[in-house]
Amino acid sequence: MKKTFSLLLLLTIVQVFGQASLEGTVRNANNETVPFASVFLKKTQLGTSCDENGSFKITNIPAGNYSIVASAVGYHKAILQIEIKDGLNTVNFVIKANTQLDEVELFGSRKKRAEKLETLTRLPLAPNEQLQSISVLSHKLIDQQNALTISDVTKNVAGVYTFSTYGNVRESMSLRGYRGVPLLKNGVRINSDFRGIGVLTDMAGVDNIQVLKGISAISQGLGGDLGSAGGVINIVTKTPKFYDGGEVSFRTGSFGRVRPTFDFYGPINEKKTLAFRVAGSYDRADSFRAHVNSERFYINPSLAWKPDDKTTIVLEMDYMDDSRTPDQGTINLGTYDVNNILKLDDDKFVGFDTDRANTLNTTYAVRLDRKISDKLTVKAGLFSSDLETYTEAAYIFQGGGRTQLPVLDNTQRYREYYGAGRTDKNSVFQIDLVGKNVQTGSIKHTFQVGVDYRTTDFTNTPFTTTFPDEDLPYVDIIDVTQPINNTLPGTVSVTEGTSTSGSTTKSYGFTIQDKISFNDWADVFLGIRYTSLERTRGNFIGRSLTGAKRDDAVNPLVGFNLKPTKNIIVFGSYASSSNPMTSFYRDINGNELGTERWDQIETGIKSTWLDNALRFNVTAFYTSSKNLNLQALDTNGTFLGYYLKGGEDTRNGVEVELIGRILPNLEIIGGYSYLDARYKDHVSYYYNSSPINTPKHTANFWARYSFENSLEGLSLAAGAYYLGERPHNVWSRNYTHTGVEPGVKPFNLEAYTTVNLQASYKFNQNFSLDVFGNNVFNALGYNAYRTAFVNRIQPASFGTTLRYRF
């Protein structure tokens, strides 16, 4: 027994002390350590992650020959063959940067500002250094989530939600309780409608999407929209690269979707002073709704020139031709205060087979960057957008209100036919002198001094419809519980009218912003903007104008950043915005009602973690409106020629956001928004009632895990999005609008939660395959614009995307 015990003890000692360990560092080509790099032994379960100093240690390794791998996001893998001997072994890696990975995180590069962020903020600062609350979503996130729409992407930002799709022909987004925030592309408005009715865009050419929350009058001019106090969403297109690369992909899935895309870029000449990029897509799809389909062609070419090491000139164009079937959706069978939305059978469509909405949008940009010195740069840009839309479609309504027609039974609707056209031209020229860390004594300044010139010119073209019965202003009456005829009678015709409406404005702006750094932990922001706006044409929805009208406005911005630690910033700010175009609105006695104005106080914490791989922000805000005015309308909806003092409303809330990488192979996005939006001293709306389509709660979560070792190449992802209940219309005492019943509280649209799942496999550095499902539990939800459009969210759908990168 003693001999046996001694032998077992000896074997145990040999086994324990025969184990080896391995330590070392991972560095890049500049001899800088690479924090949190992954190191593992192939064909084993042994591995670890480097610490913040790029050092690693793996223990309990059986002696033998191994292939050891070091990897990190933004770098090529390095593989070494090594013989592990008993005791301590040492190995050091040098990994090369993968220059094709510009956006290494969900929010973009850790070390660089997002592409074209200065066109939105006008200051050369990273998002967490800016005074405003800014969220950036990179093309890496867009690709990983296989996002197709603005809503698909921006649901990753706390507090952003869809206001309406107006029959799935536009995307109108809301933020902080303000409907229809302005949508920009490369810093210029696409649609200048003051209601922010939105536009369509294609993700194939998008580099990143930037969401600037709250009042942005300093950088973006005046707040002339219903949603401009809520913020702006800037869609940034892809730009040329001075190295070769590209990607082609093919997507297919539910409802007959077919979507090939391409993206090619690289230098044109040997000196690499000229570079190009061209991205594009073709997209065709049906719908869960019968008779509904869409088709789109999109292309995004660009050219960059570096005549010397201090100058860069970029030329860009963006072209989209979209044709789709408008889908008014379904109806509410209940009264104004009861939610009884009919889940219309998928094989029923309330329109006609010939219904069509066409969108043609072209944007152009010319940008110049010229370094004067290491700390001073001149930035200039000319941006323009040309939007044309035309729609011919059916429209159903119940009667009553403005229509002067008898109210039909719950399941019946009048069906009319209409045509509508619009041209919308917007342009911005801006030039800025930008300074970064300019020293005056012991104080540093990061500043911007700039001027801009903005123009908008839109025209709505009316059309007249000839109906089968000249005495009746509709085509027919349908019953949604019975079969619906989708053939447009040949006796219906549409002719173009002559009484166009629209608006032409031009504005000049002068802006100064300065971030004053007194030391390493305290910054003060000061900013002021002067704007002079001239309106030379305007007869849109009763906002008539004779001759020219010029108005001026001054908007300040003041705030602070405090940095108790290197990675945490505590901020606070005050900003205001105004709409001088409203200064000439008069009441029934001819008295001017005053300029509409918004005031905002914002505070919170911005923080970065894990070597800038993870960002966590908390923001609280308070916004109040002054002098909001409403048109005085007759009971049939006719504008009476004067305005009513609308009163005040407030928006208070808290937003929490988390985005980035919490482990080398685990990416995560989380967000929550609480919003308290209420009308206060208001002439038409009930006290403390909520604005249309304003939820108190929204939340989002998404996570993606990439496997290693034997499952290397496989990634799994899951996400959820919650939109709380919200009123489908306004609670009015006397104000009439589409579907509004004065004195009756509107019903709430029900809350819903959608869940998306995804599996991806990367075969090698070039090929990858995604398989995904959206709304996999088939949640039922609706977005609505009053009672005019009640559109069901897309039910469960599935698809796959094959990508080839080179």
Side-chain angles (χ1 to χ4, degrees):
M1 286 292 294
K2 288 182 179 180
K3 291 181 178 181
T4 301
F5 177 78
S6 299
L7 181 60
L8 290 173
L9 180 61
L10 179 62
L11 290 174
T12 301
I13 292 173
V14 169
Q15 184 177 11
V16 171
F17 288 97
Q19 299 285 324
S21 60
L22 177 68
E23 66 179 16
T25 60
V26 178
R27 296 178 177 272
N28 61 25
N30 297 323
N31 201 35
E32 300 168 332
T33 59
V34 180
F36 313 112
S38 177
V39 181
F40 66 93
L41 303 177
K42 294 188 71 173
K43 298 181 180 181
T44 75
Q45 300 296 315
L46 300 173
T48 189
S49 295
C50 294
D51 60 21
E52 61 184 8
N53 298 314
S55 300
F56 68 89
K57 186 171 185 178
I58 305 173
T59 58
N60 297 329
I61 308 173
N65 294 314
Y66 295 92
S67 294
I68 182 170
V69 180
S71 63
V73 175
Y75 294 89
H76 291 291
K77 288 182 180 178
I79 304 176
L80 296 177
Q81 305 299 322
I82 187 172
E83 180 183 1
I84 300 292
K85 299 180 180 179
D86 292 342
L88 180 63
N89 299 261
T90 302
V91 63
N92 294 311
F93 283 92
V94 177
I95 56 178
K96 296 181 179 179
N98 183 353
T99 56
Q100 297 188 34
L101 294 178
D102 295 311
E103 303 291 349
V104 298
E105 301 296 349
L106 303 176
F107 49 76
S109 174
R110 299 189 195 185
K111 306 297 183 182
K112 300 178 182 178
R113 292 189 299 276
E115 188 75 33
K116 305 178 193 175
L117 184 60
E118 288 93 328
T119 65
L120 185 66
T121 65
R122 312 281 288 274
L123 272 178
L125 299 173
N128 65 312
E129 298 174 315
Q130 301 279 353
L131 186 60
Q132 300 100 324
S133 178
I134 300 174
S135 299
V136 177
L137 305 167
S138 72
H139 69 80
K140 176 182 179 180
L141 172 66
I142 295 171
D143 287 347
Q144 286 188 0
Q145 294 188 345
N146 287 276
L148 291 179
T149 66
I150 300 172
S151 176
D152 287 343
V153 183
T154 57
K155 69 183 180 183
N156 294 288
V157 179
V160 181
Y161 57 94
T162 299
F163 175 77
S164 178
T165 65
Y166 298 97
N168 294 326
V169 298
R170 288 186 290 268
E171 285 195 275
S172 178
M173 308 303 299
S174 285
L175 182 56
R176 294 187 172 179
Y178 291 94
R179 59 169 286 189
V181 300
L183 296 177
L184 317 178
K185 183 167 283 188
N186 295 328
V188 64
R189 287 291 300 271
I190 304 173
N191 191 322
S192 60
D193 192 314
F194 79 99
R195 297 165 300 182
I197 58 176
V199 293
L200 296 171
T201 194
D202 195 288
M203 292 297 118
V206 176
D207 180 86
N208 67 85
I209 291 182
Q210 303 160 0
V211 181
L212 191 160
K213 298 180 180 180
I215 288 173
S216 55
I218 286 288
S219 60
Q220 295 303 310
L222 298 168
D225 300 79
L226 294 179
S228 59
V232 296
I233 296 175
N234 189 31
I235 302 161
V236 176
T237 58
K238 294 177 178 177
T239 53
K241 304 295 181 185
F242 287 87
Y243 52 84
D244 290 314
E247 172 187 315
V248 291
S249 72
F250 182 78
R251 172 173 174 161
T252 187
S254 299
F255 313 123
R257 181 172 296 282
V258 176
R259 180 179 168 83
T261 70
F262 62 89
D263 181 13
F264 307 129
Y265 49 84
I268 296 176
N269 58 350
E270 292 184 3
K271 293 182 179 180
K272 296 187 177 181
T273 58
L274 280 172
F276 80 100
R277 189 165 194 169
V278 57
S281 69
Y282 169 79
D283 194 307
R284 191 221 169 274
D286 295 318
S287 168
F288 68 91
R289 175 78 55 215
H291 307 277
V292 176
N293 58 71
S294 64
E295 188 173 28
R296 173 189 295 169
F297 171 73
Y298 169 81
I299 191 167
N300 169 228
S302 55
L303 181 71
W305 178 36
K306 292 184 177 180
D308 55 53
D309 59 355
K310 294 184 178 181
T311 308
T312 302
I313 300 171
V314 181
L315 308 177
E316 300 169 280
M317 189 188 85
D318 190 81
Y319 174 87
M320 185 190 75
D321 187 348
D322 183 274
S323 175
R324 63 185 52 234
T325 309
D327 177 15
Q328 196 174 345
T330 185
I331 63 175
N332 184 53
L333 297 178
T335 57
Y336 187 71
D337 58 343
V338 177
N339 184 335
N340 191 18
I341 294 176
L342 170 69
K343 184 183 178 184
L344 190 67
D345 294 339
D346 292 350
D347 62 355
K348 288 183 178 180
F349 174 53
V350 299
F352 298 108
D353 289 326
T354 53
D355 290 0
R356 212 66 184 165
N358 295 281
T359 300
L360 187 64
N361 184 213
T362 308
T363 63
Y364 305 92
V366 180
R367 294 184 290 120
L368 167 68
D369 279 27
R370 173 68 180 179
K371 290 184 179 179
I372 299 175
S373 66
D374 291 340
K375 296 183 178 181
L376 293 176
T377 304
V378 172
K379 293 180 177 290
L382 174 62
F383 311 92
S384 70
S385 173
D386 190 343
L387 174 69
E388 297 180 23
T389 60
Y390 178 71
T391 301
E392 276 194 22
Y395 178 74
I396 63 171
F397 59 97
Q398 194 171 7
R402 300 184 183 186
T403 69
Q404 304 292 296
L405 290 170
V407 177
L408 295 174
D409 293 338
N410 269 348
T411 62
Q412 291 184 322
R413 292 295 185 271
Y414 297 102
R415 182 163 58 168
E416 67 172 20
Y417 194 75
Y418 71 97
R422 178 185 175 100
T423 61
D424 201 320
K425 301 178 185 297
N426 290 270
S427 67
V428 176
F429 172 75
Q430 62 188 43
I431 182 167
D432 296 310
L433 174 64
V434 176
K436 179 75 172 177
N437 293 329
V438 177
Q439 200 88 20
T440 57
S442 61
I443 299 175
K444 289 182 181 180
H445 300 266
T446 296
F447 65 87
Q448 171 259 333
V449 179
V451 294
D452 55 70
Y453 173 63
R454 300 169 186 264
T455 67
T456 68
D457 189 328
F458 74 85
T459 297
N460 288 318
T461 302
F463 290 81
T464 301
T465 305
T466 301
F467 294 104
D469 188 334
E470 295 182 359
D471 295 328
L472 298 177
Y474 54 86
V475 177
D476 56 10
I477 295 175
I478 63 172
D479 190 319
V480 294
T481 63
Q482 302 299 317
I484 300 174
N485 180 11
N486 300 115
T487 302
L488 181 68
T491 53
V492 176
S493 62
V494 176
T495 56
E496 184 175 337
T498 57
S499 57
T500 60
S501 62
S503 178
T504 299
T505 61
K506 57 183 179 181
S507 66
Y508 306 87
F510 178 71
T511 304
I512 299 176
Q513 298 182 80
D514 190 7
K515 186 190 83 164
I516 306 169
S517 300
F518 296 99
N519 46 48
D520 292 337
W521 57 271
D523 302 324
V524 171
F525 286 77
L526 298 175
I528 192 166
R529 178 184 176 89
Y530 166 77
T531 305
S532 177
L533 181 143
E534 182 180 81
R535 196 172 180 210
T536 56
R537 180 174 67 99
N539 57 331
F540 181 50
I541 313 183
R543 301 189 173 198
S544 58
L545 175 68
T546 301
K549 178 69 176 177
R550 175 170 292 279
D551 295 280
D552 301 328
V554 177
N555 295 116
L557 173 72
V558 60
F560 63 86
N561 279 347
L562 300 178
K563 306 171 188 175
T565 66
K566 181 179 179 180
N567 64 314
I568 296 177
I569 297 176
V570 179
F571 71 96
S573 68
Y574 164 79
S576 77
S577 184
S578 52
N579 183 11
M581 287 190 294
T582 63
S583 65
F584 61 86
Y585 291 173
R586 298 178 182 272
D587 63 17
I588 193 171
N589 298 315
N591 301 313
E592 289 191 354
L593 294 173
T595 299
E596 294 177 350
R597 195 184 83 184
W598 297 264
D599 295 287
Q600 173 187 282
I601 297 173
E602 189 175 53
T603 186
I605 298 174
K606 302 176 184 179
S607 62
T608 59
W609 306 88
L610 304 178
D611 190 38
N612 293 320
L614 185 68
R615 294 178 179 177
F616 176 70
N617 302 327
V618 180
T619 305
F621 61 90
Y622 172 84
T623 307
S624 63
S625 305
K626 305 287 186 183
N627 289 333
L628 296 185
N629 304 312
L630 292 172
Q631 298 171 36
L633 302 175
D634 201 348
T635 54
N636 63 1
T638 303
F639 178 53
L640 296 176
Y642 62 92
Y643 288 80
L644 304 172
K645 176 84 68 179
E648 301 178 9
D649 62 281
T650 60
R651 311 288 198 277
N652 311 317
V654 177
E655 298 157 349
V656 182
E657 294 182 290
L658 177 71
I659 182 171
R661 188 183 302 274
I662 60 176
L663 293 173
N665 54 345
L666 178 60
E667 297 167 304
I668 191 171
I669 301 173
Y672 168 74
S673 171
Y674 169 77
L675 174 65
D676 184 16
R678 300 177 185 272
Y679 292 113
K680 295 299 182 181
D681 182 17
H682 205 284
V683 69
S684 294
Y685 302 140
Y686 281 94
Y687 183 78
N688 272 344
S689 65
S690 296
I692 180 175
N693 277 344
T694 305
K696 280 189 176 295
H697 306 279
T698 62
N700 60 280
F701 177 81
W702 187 82
R704 178 185 172 102
Y705 183 82
S706 301
F707 290 87
E708 298 177 339
N709 301 329
S710 60
L711 294 177
E712 183 180 2
L714 176 65
S715 298
L716 298 179
Y721 175 73
Y722 171 81
L723 180 62
E725 66 175 16
R726 57 235 176 265
H728 87 284
N729 216 326
V730 292
W731 190 9
S732 168
R733 290 195 298 268
N734 50 33
Y735 180 66
T736 61
H737 205 290
T738 305
V740 175
E741 293 187 19
V744 182
K745 186 176 182 180
F747 70 79
N748 282 339
L749 295 166
E750 293 182 357
Y752 65 83
T753 302
T754 57
V755 175
N756 297 347
L757 300 176
Q758 180 177 316
S760 303
Y761 188 78
K762 191 173 183 179
F763 297 95
N764 49 44
Q765 292 296 322
N766 304 108
F767 278 103
S768 64
L769 178 69
D770 295 348
V771 179
F772 51 89
N774 296 328
N775 192 10
V776 293
F777 297 119
N778 205 28
L780 181 64
Y782 293 92
N783 65 68
Y785 174 65
R786 306 186 187 274
T787 54
F789 298 96
V790 183
N791 292 112
R792 177 183 168 192
I793 64 172
Q794 183 163 283
S797 63
F798 302 88
T800 182
T801 301
L802 178 65
R803 286 190 177 89
Y804 176 72
R805 292 185 173 94
F806 53 90

